[in-house]
């Protein structure tokens, strides 16, 4: 078929011989995850790491929990029998410390259905065969329109059944779907091949696959094909009543069962979305007052240039804010592939339910305003003002509506801007930022973010779905170690809480398929324990199972407290504090009063990982050590008094319950802001030389603390069963050693460089 400019369109055609019974087989679960962001510099993301918890949802790991019935839980931590009784902590107390833990469409997502034609439909006497016999046709041998869809005899599966197949793509060729004009409720379309070098105007679809078992049928060249309801909704949202429209959507335009084609098309996705005339985002059907939310976002957008008092007045509408929070919590924002789809898009239109498409700038601008007014939102949704039926249990969720508005939705698509200036380090920055995004295919944790990276990085990771996950993840570490000379990527290997994985990796290789609730400390808080040093002595063994590092030995863990889990209540945080303080008091029982005072001040500084905030009276200075100790002890002691009144406190702590403070904070928010995410997943420890710190909950007495060259933080390693080999355990905050102190000792000859081989 020739167009007005003389070009030929290659139509996907098919050959069928009668209507038939359709049986659908899906080869994998549905998938979710992508993202990107706007004009902030890349490092602005670090101020938001670790991101806060989500709004009243199951916390997912590598896939949507709705389809992961074997959800894993962390063990509950009961009171340890070997905790010795002291005057600071009585193990005979009835309270038990416990925590709970829990363990997409991409172009590596759920495979499209196999369309199986029933045997009855192929029989010559079949009624359906007779009814539609006149519709059977074949493309002439001289026809320039090549057949895109065909049937071939199956070599596997049910005996005698035919399998629906795609026709192969040529070099730089891709498929588009012609979505016919709306004439009735049924969605009708055809699949066409085009060259990506000179494509016609088309719309790229960005959506979440949703429930793979929830399907509706569309007609592809008059053949009924069941697709996910979410895809049906996206197609219905973008089709027009007056004309056809060309679209690109991964579920239909890529043969997901062909790994070679998937690899080739994923490599082209940056161009596919960049060349699209428009990218249409489908958030899903109308629900949870989404129409009210969209109307409110447009009001915020219209008031963007008005006085800030008008914005503040608008933000006092809690019902509309809750509707927006629900909209920002939709599955779409959790998809990994959203990152590069939005990043590479030119124009973007957002669709939700029956509402007309809304420009991306409305969502983006409103999300920025929510960030700027975070304090106002925190006060609107404080625990004291939130209606009881809207409150969420647990310390980590007391402000979750506010957090959803500030950190989720468009704000979850990190502001990478241009990453060219960051060079090879951009790979780690993007992988950290997108770690919580969801995808069913573990390889897509790397392949799914290539579209936002500089060409110099992208070319080092050719897409190949036949490579093992271990090989891909190890290559990420190999690349970053040798191009940056820094070991920060190893610190992304999170071993607490312990999760089982089908991928057997060395302890120093991060498992990107896991989505831990905590993140490495170095980037999150701007530490530089090894100063400006570079580790130039990394050596892999031939199989890349071992890594030799150069590091300075600092100390050995002598005792540690109970670990705070990643799904704990406020009571669990309080009991952890009490146990940790008991360890501290025992360790300094023989010290002078002056030293005891200094150690308690360091203890309170350690609880917040050294991030003492500015004084509310004078923002130009941070709280002094003594001021911070009083605030810290008052917050914990007052919460014990109100929440756990039967827990026995020592006399020193009791006096802080009603202490008069000139700067009296909102205690619950104070704990949330300064200790919530910093204590989570970690435990307090004291070393053999009486240093203190806080680090991974996976640590054990006898673990070794070292500062590797080229690493932002000290790390903990553990002797392995093999002679001269060590396991990486996790990164650690060590009081006094987060800003180059070990390197100063090295330069003065007080420390030396040693070699450690990690396995």
């Amino acid at each position: 078929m020739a167009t007005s400019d003389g070009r030929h369109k290659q139509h996907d055609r098919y050959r069928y011989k009668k209507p038939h019974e359709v049986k659908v087989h899906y080869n994998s679960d549905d998938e979710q995850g992508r993202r990107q962001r706007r004009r902030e510099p890349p490092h602005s993301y670090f101020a938001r790491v670790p991101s806060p918890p989500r709004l009243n949802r199951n916390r997912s790991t590598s896939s949507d929990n709705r389809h992961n019935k074997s959800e894993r839980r962390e063990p509950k931590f009961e009171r340890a029998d070997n905790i010795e009784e002291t005057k600071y902590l009585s193990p005979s107390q009835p309270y038990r410390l416990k925590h709970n833990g829990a363990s997409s469409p991409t172009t590596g997502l759920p495979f499209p259905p196999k369309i199986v034609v029933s045997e009855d439909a192929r029989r010559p006497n079949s009624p359906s065969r007779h009814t539609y016999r006149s519709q059977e046709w074949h493309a002439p041998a001289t026809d320039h329109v090549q057949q895109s869809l065909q049937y071939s005899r199956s070599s596997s599966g049910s005996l005698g059944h035919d399998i629906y197949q795609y026709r192969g793509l040529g070099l730089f060729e891709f498929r588009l779907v012609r979505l016919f004009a709306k004439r009735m409720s049924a969605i009708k379309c055809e699949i066409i091949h085009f060259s990506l070098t000179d494509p016609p105007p088309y719309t790229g679809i960005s959506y979440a696959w949703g429930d793979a078992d929830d399907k509706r049928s569309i007609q592809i060249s008059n053949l009924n094909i069941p697709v996910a309801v979410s895809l049906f909704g996206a197609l219905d949202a973008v089709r027009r009543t007056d004309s056809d429209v060309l679209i690109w959507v991964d579920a239909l335009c890529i043969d997901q069962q062909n790994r070679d084609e998937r690899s080739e098309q994923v490599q082209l996705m940056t161009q596919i979305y960049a060349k699209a005339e428009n990218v249409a985002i489908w958030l899903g059907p109308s629900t949870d007052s989404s129409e009210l939310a969209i109307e409110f976002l447009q009001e915020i957008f219209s008031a963007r240039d008005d006085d800030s008092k008008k914005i503040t007045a608008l933000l006092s509408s809690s019902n509309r804010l809750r509707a927006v929070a629900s909209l920002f919590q939709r599955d779409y924002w959790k998809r990994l592939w959203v990152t590069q789809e939005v990043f590479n898009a030119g124009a973007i239109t957002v669709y939700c339910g029956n509402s007309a498409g809304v420009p991306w700038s409305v969502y983006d601008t409103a999300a920025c305003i929510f960030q700027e007014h975070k304090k106002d939102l925190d006060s609107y949704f404080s625990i004291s003002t939130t209606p009881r039926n809207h409150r969420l249990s647990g310390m980590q969720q007391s402000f979750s509506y506010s957090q959803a508005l500030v950190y989720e939705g468009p704000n979850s698509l990190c502001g990478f801007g241009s990453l060219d200036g960051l060079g090879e380090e951009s790979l780690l920055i993007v992988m950290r930022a997108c770690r919580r995004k969801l995808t069913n295919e573990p390889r897509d944790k790397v392949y799914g973010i290539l579209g936002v990276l500089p060409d110099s990085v992208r070319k080092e990771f050719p897409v190949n779905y036949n490579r093992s996950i271990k090989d891909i993840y190890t290559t990420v570490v190999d690349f970053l170690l040798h191009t940056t000379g820094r070991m920060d990527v190893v610190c992304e290997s999170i071993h607490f809480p312990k999760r089982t994985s089908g991928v057997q990796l060395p302890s120093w290789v991060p498992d990107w398929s896991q989505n831990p609730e905590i993140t490495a400390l170095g980037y999150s808080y701007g530490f530089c324990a090894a100063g400006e040093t570079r580790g130039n002595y990394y050596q892999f063994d031939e199989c890349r199972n071992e890594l030799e590092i150069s590091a300075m030995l600092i100390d050995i863990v002598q005792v540690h407290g109970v670990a705070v889990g990643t799904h704990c209540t406020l009571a669990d945080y309080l009991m952890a504090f009490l146990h940790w303080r008991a360890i501290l008091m025992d360790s300094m029982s023989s010290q002078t009063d002056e030293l005891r005072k200094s150690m308690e001040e360091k203890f309170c500084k350690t609880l917040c990982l050294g991030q003492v905030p500015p004084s509310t009276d004078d923002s130009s200075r941070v709280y002094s050590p003594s001021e911070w100790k009083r605030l810290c002890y008052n917050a914990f002691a007052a919460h014990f008094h109100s929440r756990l009144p039967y827990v026995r406190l020592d006399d020193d702590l009791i006096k802080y319950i009603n202490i008069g403070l000139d700067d009296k904070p909102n205690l619950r928010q104070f704990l949330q802001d300064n200790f919530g995410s910093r204590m989570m997943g970690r435990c307090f420890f004291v070393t053999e030389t009486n240093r203190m710190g806080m680090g991974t909950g996976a640590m054990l007495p006898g673990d070794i603390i070292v500062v590797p060259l080229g690493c932002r933080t000290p790390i903990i390693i553990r002797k392995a069963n093999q002679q001269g080999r060590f396991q990486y355990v996790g990164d650690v905050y060590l009081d006094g050693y987060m800003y180059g102190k070990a390197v100063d000792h090295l330069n003065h000859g007080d420390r030396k460089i040693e070699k450690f081989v990690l396995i």
Side-chain angles (χ1 to χ4, degrees):
M1 181 184 298
T3 59
S4 60
D5 61 0
R7 290 180 296 174
H8 288 277
K9 296 183 179 178
Q10 298 177 339
H11 290 260
D12 278 327
R13 302 167 76 179
Y14 61 95
R15 184 178 301 171
Y16 70 91
K17 300 183 178 181
K18 57 269 163 188
H20 33 258
E21 176 184 352
V22 177
K23 299 180 182 179
V24 183
H25 301 274
Y26 281 90
N27 290 341
S28 66
D29 290 339
D30 65 311
E31 171 270 355
Q32 300 172 298
R34 320 181 186 166
R35 128 189 315 124
Q36 178 271 349
R37 201 61 187 89
R38 47 189 178 281
R39 39 199 176 268
E40 305 173 41
H43 291 286
S44 66
Y45 173 76
F46 303 147
R48 304 201 296 268
V49 175
S51 60
R54 306 184 179 97
L55 176 64
N56 197 21
R57 288 181 179 265
N58 292 334
R59 296 177 185 271
S60 301
T61 53
S62 61
S63 62
D64 192 330
N65 280 344
R66 293 176 303 170
H67 312 300
N68 181 10
K69 304 303 182 185
S70 57
E71 183 185 23
R72 299 188 180 277
R73 298 280 182 185
E74 295 176 39
K76 293 185 177 180
F77 282 68
E78 306 292 346
R79 175 180 55 79
D81 293 332
N82 60 351
I83 298 177
E84 296 182 2
E85 182 170 0
T86 73
K87 67 176 183 177
Y88 307 106
L89 177 66
S90 172
S92 62
Q93 293 297 330
Y95 180 85
R96 290 184 175 183
L97 177 65
K98 59 185 178 181
H99 63 44
N100 296 320
S103 61
S104 325
T106 75
T107 41
L109 31 194
F111 294 135
K114 291 182 178 178
I115 310 301
V116 181
V117 184
S118 70
E119 192 66 38
D120 291 339
R122 292 197 304 274
R123 293 172 183 166
N125 297 328
S126 170
S128 60
R129 164 83 176 182
H130 176 76
T131 303
Y132 288 93
R133 187 181 181 91
S134 62
Q135 296 188 24
E136 178 180 350
W137 59 276
H138 301 265
T142 57
D143 194 345
H144 293 290
V145 181
Q146 299 185 30
Q147 185 177 350
S148 178
L149 303 175
Q150 63 183 19
Y151 289 113
S152 67
R153 182 66 58 184
S154 172
S155 59
S156 62
S158 301
L159 180 63
H161 283 184
D162 288 333
I163 299 179
Y164 183 85
Q165 292 184 330
Y166 287 90
R167 179 177 59 82
L169 291 167
L171 187 64
F172 294 112
E173 198 174 35
F174 76 136
R175 301 181 183 95
L176 290 177
V177 174
R178 182 192 298 281
L179 198 58
F180 293 126
K182 188 174 184 178
R183 297 286 186 265
M184 58 183 70
S185 60
I187 293 178
K188 299 182 179 182
C189 58
E190 64 178 346
I191 298 177
I192 312 172
H193 285 206
F194 287 98
S195 170
L196 189 55
T197 58
D198 186 24
Y202 64 92
T203 295
I205 305 296
S206 180
Y207 72 111
W209 276 44
D211 189 345
D213 295 328
D214 192 7
K215 298 181 290 292
R216 290 189 64 177
S217 290
I218 64 173
Q219 292 183 19
I220 301 180
S221 300
N222 296 323
L223 180 62
N224 287 329
I225 303 296
V227 298
V229 165
S230 56
L231 174 55
F232 185 95
L235 297 177
D236 194 42
V238 300
R239 67 173 173 160
R240 303 169 184 167
T241 57
D242 56 345
S243 62
D244 300 345
V245 59
L246 286 173
I247 64 167
W248 187 92
V249 59
D250 47 14
L252 299 178
C253 295
I254 298 177
D255 181 359
Q256 303 293 336
Q257 297 185 21
N258 185 331
R259 285 200 169 197
D260 292 335
E261 180 178 306
R262 286 169 58 200
S263 299
E264 293 169 0
Q265 290 292 291
V266 169
Q267 203 82 41
L268 296 174
M269 280 188 65
T270 300
Q271 297 182 55
I272 290 173
Y273 277 93
K275 291 190 175 185
E277 184 178 51
N278 182 61
V279 170
I281 291 176
W282 172 245
L283 296 181
S286 297
T287 185
D288 297 328
S289 303
S290 56
E291 297 92 345
L292 180 64
I294 294 170
E295 178 185 324
F296 184 56
L297 291 174
Q298 292 172 321
E299 279 191 51
I300 295 290
F301 177 77
S302 300
R304 64 191 182 280
D305 296 325
D306 294 342
D307 187 274
S308 61
K309 291 183 179 179
K310 182 175 181 180
I311 297 290
T312 302
L314 284 173
L315 294 180
S316 63
S317 177
S318 59
N319 289 335
R320 296 200 291 178
L321 285 172
R322 288 193 186 94
V324 175
S326 295
L327 188 66
F328 282 9
Q329 284 283 302
R330 293 205 177 196
D331 290 343
Y332 173 81
W333 307 108
K334 299 174 177 62
R335 293 186 61 234
L336 176 65
W337 286 91
V338 168
T339 305
Q340 68 170 358
E341 290 172 358
V342 176
F343 181 88
N344 291 298
I348 302 176
T349 306
V350 185
Y351 296 88
C352 181
N354 298 322
S355 301
V358 176
W360 171 255
S361 57
V362 172
Y363 282 75
D364 190 50
T365 302
C368 286
I369 290 174
F370 293 149
Q371 275 191 335
E372 294 168 0
H373 290 261
K374 181 180 183 300
K375 289 186 177 180
D376 293 332
L377 295 172
D378 284 342
S379 64
Y380 297 151
F381 291 107
S382 67
I383 198 68
S384 59
T385 60
T386 301
R388 185 170 297 277
N389 62 323
H390 288 292
R391 294 184 190 177
L392 302 175
S393 62
M395 178 179 180
Q396 288 297 314
Q397 295 182 338
S398 58
F399 300 99
S400 55
Y401 285 114
S402 169
Q403 292 165 343
L405 294 166
V406 173
Y407 298 107
E408 300 297 331
N411 286 332
S412 70
L413 306 182
C414 304
F416 298 125
S418 174
L419 296 171
D420 292 335
L422 296 174
E424 291 78 7
E425 189 181 8
S426 62
L427 173 61
L428 180 57
I429 291 172
V430 175
M431 292 194 72
R432 277 177 46 82
C434 296
R435 187 159 192 174
R436 286 191 183 179
K437 295 294 185 181
L438 304 180
T439 174
N440 247 15
E441 169 57 73
R443 296 168 184 83
D444 286 341
K445 285 291 189 168
V446 179
Y447 296 154
I449 52 93
L450 293 178
V452 306
L453 296 172
D455 291 338
S456 60
V457 177
R458 192 184 310 160
K459 69 180 182 181
E460 299 294 338
F461 295 90
V463 179
N464 182 358
Y465 284 97
N466 294 311
R467 290 180 67 184
S468 70
I469 298 169
K470 177 180 181 293
D471 184 36
I472 295 171
Y473 288 1
T474 305
T475 299
V476 170
V477 179
D478 193 349
F479 173 79
L480 288 167
L481 290 177
H482 286 86
T483 57
T484 68
R486 302 198 62 86
M487 194 181 153
D488 300 312
V489 63
V490 174
C491 296
E492 297 299 328
S493 186
I494 309 295
H495 295 296
F496 184 86
K498 186 174 179 60
R499 292 179 171 91
T500 58
S501 173
V503 185
Q504 298 299 316
L505 299 172
S507 64
W508 47 272
V509 175
D511 185 352
W512 298 102
S513 68
Q514 301 288 342
N515 299 338
E517 296 294 335
I518 59 176
T519 62
L521 297 172
Y523 274 110
S524 301
Y525 300 107
F527 296 132
C528 52
E532 298 300 319
T533 61
R534 291 291 183 269
N536 299 317
Y537 307 104
Y538 305 115
Q539 296 180 1
F540 293 84
D541 69 328
E542 186 175 350
C543 298
R544 300 200 302 180
N545 289 321
E546 297 183 352
L547 171 66
E548 182 181 273
I549 65 172
S550 301
M552 295 161 280
L553 176 63
I554 305 298
D555 216 329
I556 295 175
V557 175
Q558 182 178 57
V559 61
H560 67 84
V562 295
V564 176
T566 54
H567 294 268
C568 286
T569 65
L570 173 59
D572 297 319
Y573 281 81
L574 296 177
M575 293 304 295
F577 166 83
L578 196 62
H579 184 217
W580 296 359
R581 185 171 178 275
I583 291 174
L584 172 73
M585 302 303 284
D586 281 346
S587 69
M588 63 182 193
S589 58
S590 61
Q591 305 294 338
T592 63
D593 290 343
E594 186 74 20
L595 187 55
R596 286 166 62 94
K597 177 183 175 183
S598 174
M599 292 182 70
E600 285 192 88
E601 291 173 351
K602 290 181 179 179
F603 171 70
C604 293
K605 178 183 175 184
T606 298
L607 294 181
C608 66
L609 299 174
Q611 309 304 301
V612 178
S615 169
T616 54
D617 289 339
D618 182 4
S619 59
S620 64
R621 68 174 186 89
V622 299
Y623 289 109
S624 67
S626 60
E627 289 174 326
W628 184 243
K629 173 189 168 184
R630 294 178 71 200
L631 281 170
C632 177
Y633 276 12
N634 171 252
F636 279 101
H639 271 87
F640 268 109
H641 181 68
S642 62
R643 298 294 297 274
L644 300 173
Y646 300 107
V647 174
R648 192 168 58 205
L649 304 179
D650 63 80
D651 293 339
D652 278 346
L653 203 53
I654 289 175
K655 70 182 182 182
Y656 285 95
I657 293 176
N658 296 313
I659 191 172
L661 294 174
D662 296 332
D663 184 12
K664 191 77 170 179
N666 179 317
L667 292 181
R668 190 177 180 89
Q669 186 171 352
F670 178 80
L671 288 180
Q672 168 75 19
D673 293 343
N674 296 289
F675 307 105
S677 63
R678 293 162 188 171
M679 292 173 63
M680 182 174 65
R682 300 186 174 94
C683 64
F684 174 77
F685 67 89
V686 176
T687 69
E688 291 183 351
T689 57
N690 236 22
R691 296 185 178 94
M692 69 180 74
M694 191 161 66
T696 172
M699 74 173 66
L700 293 173
D703 285 346
I704 302 168
I705 303 173
V706 300
V707 174
L709 296 181
C711 193
R712 293 174 182 267
T713 62
I715 65 172
I716 292 179
I717 59 177
R718 181 179 300 154
K719 288 184 179 179
N721 294 331
Q722 297 173 247
Q723 184 66 28
R725 298 295 186 265
F726 299 84
Q727 290 180 324
Y728 173 80
V729 178
D731 58 0
V732 63
Y733 173 88
L734 185 64
D735 181 61
Y737 281 83
M738 304 309 294
Y739 297 99
K741 185 175 182 178
V743 177
D744 292 340
H745 290 172
L746 177 68
N747 294 334
H748 288 89
D750 298 328
R751 296 192 184 277
K752 62 180 181 179
I753 299 295
E754 301 182 43
K755 303 288 186 180
F756 299 90
V757 178
L758 305 181
I759 61 173

